[in-house]
């Protein structure tokens, strides 16, 4: 008996910043992954698992809390060396995740050495295993998605800074939203396959768009104006070093590629600045003035109707709740109505990097 299909990424409603962050990391895995913070039941694992469905033949690898460093990065095959004298690598979870998504739940509860190793490989795309004087390297290019519940502990600032993008989720405050989630959960459990078929066409459209964005990425470059805007925002946030500047520029390039632009614009920088800088800003940094939201930025970047969905599609998604857990993340609590994806959120209430 085949497993039930995962909840479609295109059916997620109410968490546009999370969707955008995951898409940007999928377009350019070199961003260093996405850290998602929020309470239980806010669709963290549901969204990560759904992202893998947009990637071609992508594995979805979950890192268990009990994993050791050798199990993650791999180690030399000692038994093989003793048996026939050959030196081979026993692949780890990073090798298995190549081309897909590596999902790390409760990343704040893992050892610093383990998190540091994963972040190194996520940013570089290369895993190096060294043991007993022998060194082996292999390509490991994947989308790293880490999640954490802030009530269960914090991530050290040194490791927090290593994650490329950051998104904070909240529980729905509207009772009607919670009712829509329950309806969606019951509908999904009744017939997951039918629910997946309903969104199959839009899934295919987004999958193709993601591949086009990946292909377009190397052709885009940053203008002097874009460099200046990024530097100004990073300086205003008082981030240490230039990692925040680099991530901000890479994220703005991925954003421009997702929108199919021919060049990167300051609007792209502003659209991703919150996700790239919020977890790096110092306590004394002032909150930036809210950026205006253009008409093209009120949906998925002014995309064709086949991608953004018509008003009727949105209404139908709202009626169904358009989100449910796939059996791996509680209730997947997401509000039923779409909200602005591209506008910059206020910095008030966001986590501040401790000194």
């Amino acid at each position: 008996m085949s497993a039930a299909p995962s909840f479609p990424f295109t059916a997620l409603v109410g968490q546009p910043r999370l969707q955008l962050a995951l898409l940007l990391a999928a377009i350019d895995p070199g961003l260093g992954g996405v850290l998602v913070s929020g309470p239980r039941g806010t669709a963290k694992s549901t969204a990560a698992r759904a992202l893998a469905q947009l990637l071609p033949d992508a594995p979805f690898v979950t890192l268990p809390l009990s994993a050791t460093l050798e199990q993650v990065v791999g180690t030399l095959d000692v038994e093989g060396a003793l048996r026939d004298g050959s030196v081979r690598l026993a692949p780890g979870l990073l090798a298995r995740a190549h081309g897909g998504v590596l999902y790390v739940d409760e990343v704040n509860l893992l050892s610093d050495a383990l998190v540091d190793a994963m972040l190194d490989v996520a940013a570089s795309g290369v895993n190096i295993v060294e043991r007993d004087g022998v060194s082996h390297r292999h390509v490991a290019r994947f989308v790293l998605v880490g999640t954490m519940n802030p009530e269960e502990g914090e991530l050290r600032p040194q490791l927090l800074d290593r994650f490329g993008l950051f998104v904070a989720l909240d529980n729905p405050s509207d009772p009607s939203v919670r009712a829509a989630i329950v309806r969606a959960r019951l509908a999904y459990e009744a017939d997951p396959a039918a629910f997946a078929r309903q969104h199959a066409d839009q899934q295919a459209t987004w999958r193709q768009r993601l591949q086009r964005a990946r292909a377009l990425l190397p052709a885009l470059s940053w203008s002097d104006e874009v460099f200046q805007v990024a530097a100004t925002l990073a300086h205003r946030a008082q981030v240490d070093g230039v990692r925040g500047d680099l991530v901000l520029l890479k994220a703005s390039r991925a954003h421009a590629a997702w929108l199919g632009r021919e060049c990167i614009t300051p609007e792209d920088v502003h659209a991703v600045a919150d996700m790239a800088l919020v977890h790096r800003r110092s306590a004394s940094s002032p909150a930036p003035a809210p950026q205006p939201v253009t008409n093209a930025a009120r949906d998925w970047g002014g995309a064709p109707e086949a991608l953004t969905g018509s008003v009727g599609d949105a209404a139908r998604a709202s009626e169904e709740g358009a989100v449910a857990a796939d059996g791996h993340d509680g209730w997947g609590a997401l509000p039923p109505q779409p909200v602005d994806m591209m506008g910059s959120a206020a910095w008030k209430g966001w986590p501040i990097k401790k000194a």
Side-chain angles (χ1 to χ4, degrees):
M1 184 170 137
S2 60
S6 299
F7 192 87
F9 189 86
T10 57
L12 292 170
V13 175
Q15 296 289 8
R17 302 305 289 173
L18 174 59
Q19 286 177 285
L20 179 59
L22 293 176
L23 286 169
L24 297 180
I27 294 170
D28 184 2
L31 281 171
V34 180
L35 177 61
V36 187
S37 175
R40 295 180 297 274
T42 47
K44 297 187 292 293
S45 70
T46 299
R49 192 176 300 274
L51 177 67
Q53 303 302 313
L54 293 183
L55 305 176
D57 302 318
F60 182 83
V61 178
T62 300
L63 188 145
L65 277 175
S66 59
T68 65
L69 185 60
E70 290 75 16
Q71 291 173 328
V72 173
V73 303
T75 186
L76 297 182
D77 186 356
V78 178
E79 291 186 4
L82 294 176
R83 183 175 58 253
D84 52 27
S86 61
V87 179
R88 294 188 296 267
L89 175 71
L93 294 176
L94 299 185
R96 288 175 48 196
H98 177 59
V101 176
L102 177 62
Y103 177 70
V104 187
D105 194 16
E106 298 181 316
V107 64
N108 52 320
L109 302 183
L110 296 175
S111 68
D112 290 352
L114 198 58
V115 178
D116 195 56
M118 288 188 299
L119 289 168
D120 276 340
V121 178
S124 67
V126 177
N127 182 35
I128 302 176
V129 182
E130 296 180 334
R131 180 176 176 183
D132 299 329
V134 178
S135 178
H136 180 88
R137 64 174 56 204
H138 66 83
V139 177
R141 191 171 175 83
F142 51 84
V143 182
L144 175 63
V145 181
T147 64
M148 58 177 284
N149 185 343
E151 296 178 354
E152 298 173 349
E154 299 180 353
L155 196 64
R156 284 201 308 117
Q158 293 85 343
L159 296 177
L160 185 65
D161 179 62
R162 298 285 305 282
F163 275 94
L165 305 176
F166 178 89
V167 179
L169 304 180
D170 291 316
N171 280 314
S173 57
D174 188 343
S176 63
V177 171
R178 304 183 73 93
I181 294 169
V182 173
R183 289 197 302 269
R185 174 67 181 186
L186 294 175
Y188 179 77
E189 288 184 348
D191 197 340
F195 190 79
R197 287 194 298 269
Q198 179 183 348
H199 296 275
D201 290 343
Q202 198 174 28
Q203 284 278 109
T205 301
W206 283 29
R207 191 177 294 111
Q208 293 171 4
R209 184 178 179 182
L210 181 56
Q211 293 307 306
R212 287 196 299 267
R214 282 183 162 186
L216 181 62
L217 195 69
L220 297 177
S221 60
W222 302 277
S223 65
D224 290 341
E225 181 183 12
V226 168
F227 271 112
Q228 186 61 42
V229 171
T232 299
L233 292 176
H235 175 72
R236 184 183 301 164
Q238 299 181 16
V239 299
D240 293 331
V242 296
R243 180 178 284 128
D245 303 58
L246 293 171
V247 171
L248 178 55
L249 287 167
K250 289 181 179 180
S252 66
R253 181 179 61 176
H255 183 267
W258 172 249
L259 298 186
R261 299 190 198 275
E262 296 182 355
C263 60
I264 306 168
T265 69
E267 182 182 11
D268 296 310
V269 182
H270 285 295
V272 301
D274 55 343
M275 296 181 290
L277 300 179
V278 60
H279 54 306
R280 297 183 169 95
R281 73 186 186 98
S282 67
S284 58
S285 61
Q291 297 298 321
V293 180
T294 63
N295 290 334
R298 293 186 184 280
D299 53 20
W300 289 90
E305 187 175 9
L307 178 66
T308 60
S310 64
V311 174
D313 291 334
R316 182 169 58 253
S318 174
E319 180 66 23
E320 296 172 349
V323 65
D326 55 11
H328 300 276
D329 191 32
W331 289 88
L334 293 176
Q337 290 293 336
V339 297
D340 165 40
M341 165 165 281
M342 315 309 293
S344 297
W347 286 29
K348 182 179 179 181
W350 286 5
I352 298 176
K353 180 181 64 179
K354 296 181 178 180

